[in-house]
Amino acid sequence: MESFLIKGGVPLHGEVAISGSKNAALPIMAAALLTGEPCVIRRVPDLSDTRFMARILESLGAATKLERGTLTVHAQKIRGYADYELVRKMRGSICIMGPLLGRLKQARVSLPGGCVIGARPINLHLKGFQALGAKIKIEGGYVEAAAKQLGGTILFLGGRAGSTVLGTANLMMAAALAAGVTVIESAACEPEVVDLAAFLTAMGAKISGAGSPTITITGVKKLHGAEHEVIPDRIEAATFAIAAAATNGEVTLRGARADHLRALTDKLNEAGVAVERRGENLRARRRAALKAVDVTTLPYPGFPTDVQAQMMSLLALAPGISIITERIFESRFMHVSELARLGADIEIEGPSAIVKGGRPLSGAPVMASDLRASAALVIAGLAAKGETQVNRIYHLDRGYEGMDAKLRKLGARIRRVEEK
Ligand code: EPZ
């Protein structure tokens, strides 16, 4: 297994190109299943998750080709049964259910199962499919949905932690080919949902309200092929902005969208970090000494849970007490014990982590546990004195395109090695 070897203490300087959004690309790739015509999706990040999704689409019978970030998907003839060995390994693959149900009126997918950050239930997805008229069967670790015809309806997607992002995606895709009008109440408002709606509209779907808690979809008979460019990855942009602040550097985020980062920018500003527009780009740097702040993760437009771990690494450097409360997932603090190995003083109290920041961090070997926790450990290693080895960085390669190369371009002393 591979590791990152980081020699910390170097302020990052320069410009980084923000890749296409993983969390927009995955449901958009799945949406290409809704038509028998070819679709062209640009700015698809080259990640293990997107490569995985391409393999899943192929296991359903679609042809895919990824060339320099442009993915062509042609799902001329497909079947509704996914390759279980593939599907069970990536929770995000649950978003093939909606398009399979919409196009074939049946889908059989392995239950995604939980992961280190939480149980990852799909009850809201299934509730929505049933509301559209599908019969749901769960047996042997698989979920099957089938319907003679899908009928428009009003469905409520509010759950234990607000809405569901992939649940909203799944139901938009199924409703696009249902007979009649579907209204999704308490829909997720994330930019990735808006991007999926834009792609579906380009395919001929009739959708209004994406980005608001109420999305209306008027079903059509057929959808046609379309071209689309995926939005930039707001979580990658946030990660690099925080890395710039943590190393007391100055980094331009090329292509980042200011309107997707308001909660982060607001919180970073409170902590003494300026994220300012520079033409089409954003620039991040400290504008004063770091200050302790409180953070609570919420559904969009609130502070993103996918940036919680990275923010904790920054706040470990800010003198004073910061309280970070995780309201979306039930166990997204795996990075706390690893940050403690680098000298961070953090205590977990239920859904909150109490960060006593300001002590300098010093390098040590640490273990990545999930995608965003790994990013937090890289940020802490970049700021720590001495050498940090981040092990199991396959977690990181799932969601960051060439992170080590991008960081080296910014002056970081980081290299990829085989784990000792
Ligand atoms: C998406 O996951 C993202 N993944 C996650 O990013 C992100 O953290 C999450 O949205 C929240 O923003 C992709 O888009 C591929 P949810 P998703 O359904 O859709 C509960 C990353 O690091 N819930 O919005 O699976 C659930 O338990 C990943 O890039 C139900 O109770 O998340 C959680 O507490 C990690 N029932 C909350 O809702 C359901 O049926 C939010 O989950 C579905 C979800």
Side-chain angles (χ1 to χ4, degrees):
M1 277 191 265
E2 293 184 312
S3 305
F4 277 163
L5 217 45
I6 300 167
K7 283 200 172 50
V10 177
L12 300 182
H13 279 280
E15 180 171 297
V16 62
I18 300 303
S19 301
S21 161
K22 164 179 86 81
N23 291 350
L26 292 175
I28 286 173
M29 288 170 72
L33 294 168
L34 284 162
T35 177
E37 297 178 14
C39 291
V40 178
I41 308 164
R42 286 190 300 281
R43 196 160 51 185
V44 173
D46 185 11
L47 307 166
S48 46
D49 270 13
T50 47
R51 286 198 292 274
F52 226 86
M53 180 57 90
R55 281 174 55 199
I56 290 171
L57 299 182
E58 284 169 359
S59 76
L60 294 166
T64 74
K65 196 172 80 199
L66 179 60
E67 248 165 19
R68 286 192 304 287
T70 297
L71 176 79
T72 308
V73 182
H74 193 186
Q76 202 154 16
K77 260 183 75 48
I78 54 168
R79 60 177 176 280
Y81 289 9
D83 174 320
Y84 311 127
E85 275 321 298
L86 278 177
V87 165
R88 71 179 175 75
K89 286 186 197 137
M90 182 176 77
R91 256 164 320 294
S93 50
I94 192 66
C95 65
I96 63 173
M97 261 199 104
L100 290 176
L101 195 56
R103 175 135 178 234
L104 302 177
K105 306 295 179 277
Q106 75 177 107
R108 182 172 155 82
V109 175
S110 146
L111 279 169
C115 69
V116 286
I117 66 175
R120 312 304 292 274
I122 57 167
N123 59 306
L124 297 172
H125 299 238
L126 303 182
K127 175 183 161 189
F129 292 145
Q130 281 172 316
L132 287 170
K135 291 262 171 300
I136 302 289
K137 209 165 70 182
I138 292 184
E139 61 180 10
Y142 307 123
V143 55
E144 193 164 331
K148 285 199 187 38
Q149 172 56 29
L150 294 178
T153 182
I154 295 181
L155 52 99
F156 181 76
L157 268 193
R160 55 178 287 284
S163 187
T164 159
V165 175
L166 289 183
T168 303
N170 252 337
L171 289 152
M172 262 199 317
M173 292 189 275
L177 290 175
V181 178
T182 299
V183 178
I184 303 177
E185 293 288 3
S186 187
C189 304
E190 272 68 5
E192 293 76 27
V193 169
V194 177
D195 207 30
L196 172 64
F199 178 58
L200 290 169
T201 305
M203 295 172 79
K206 294 194 176 3
I207 300 174
S208 62
S212 86
T214 305
I215 302 179
T216 304
I217 303 108
T218 305
V220 293
K221 283 248 172 302
K222 250 167 94 76
L223 293 171
H224 51 74
E227 295 218 4
H228 181 78
E229 178 166 278
V230 170
I231 52 172
D233 194 315
R234 62 191 169 101
I235 308 301
E236 183 195 29
T239 304
F240 277 96
I242 291 173
T247 58
N248 200 7
E250 177 174 316
V251 172
T252 296
L253 311 164
R254 197 170 74 229
R257 294 246 321 235
D259 58 329
H260 290 168
L261 289 162
R262 296 254 184 267
L264 172 84
T265 304
D266 178 63
K267 194 49 75 176
L268 282 179
N269 189 46
E270 200 186 319
V273 179
V275 179
E276 289 150 337
R277 295 186 78 126
R278 282 280 174 282
E280 286 305 295
N281 309 316
L282 293 180
R283 186 191 64 181
R285 65 188 167 84
R286 284 188 205 177
R287 56 172 177 70
L290 288 179
K291 249 168 75 345
V293 294
D294 293 342
V295 181
T296 298
T297 65
L298 289 168
Y300 193 89
F303 191 93
T305 173
D306 293 348
V307 184
Q308 178 257 105
Q310 302 91 309
M311 195 68 187
M312 191 181 289
S313 294
L314 179 68
L315 294 175
L317 304 167
I321 307 259
S322 296
I323 299 178
I324 299 178
T325 303
E326 173 58 55
R327 289 275 181 238
I328 306 296
F329 288 106
E330 54 271 40
S331 60
R332 200 168 196 175
F333 284 145
M334 300 293 288
H335 41 288
V336 170
S337 48
E338 296 305 302
L339 289 174
R341 290 178 46 77
L342 301 176
D345 181 352
I346 306 169
E347 264 165 63
I348 297 176
E349 281 293 325
S352 297
I354 298 158
V355 182
K356 295 188 189 91
R359 286 188 354 205
L361 301 181
S362 55
V366 287
M367 184 82 75
S369 56
D370 64 274
L371 172 54
R372 307 303 176 183
S374 328
L377 297 177
V378 170
I379 290 169
L382 291 168
K385 267 200 311 300
E387 185 171 90
T388 296
Q389 174 157 332
V390 181
N391 295 316
R392 299 194 183 168
I393 49 154
Y394 62 85
H395 289 290
L396 205 93
D397 291 332
R398 286 190 44 214
Y400 289 95
E401 194 177 35
M403 181 185 246
D404 45 334
K406 290 186 177 183
L407 285 169
R408 270 196 299 277
K409 220 171 135 247
L410 295 172
R413 291 174 300 193
I414 178 172
R415 59 195 174 88
R416 193 179 279 259
V417 295
E418 266 311 306
E419 191 169 325
K420 284 186 209 106

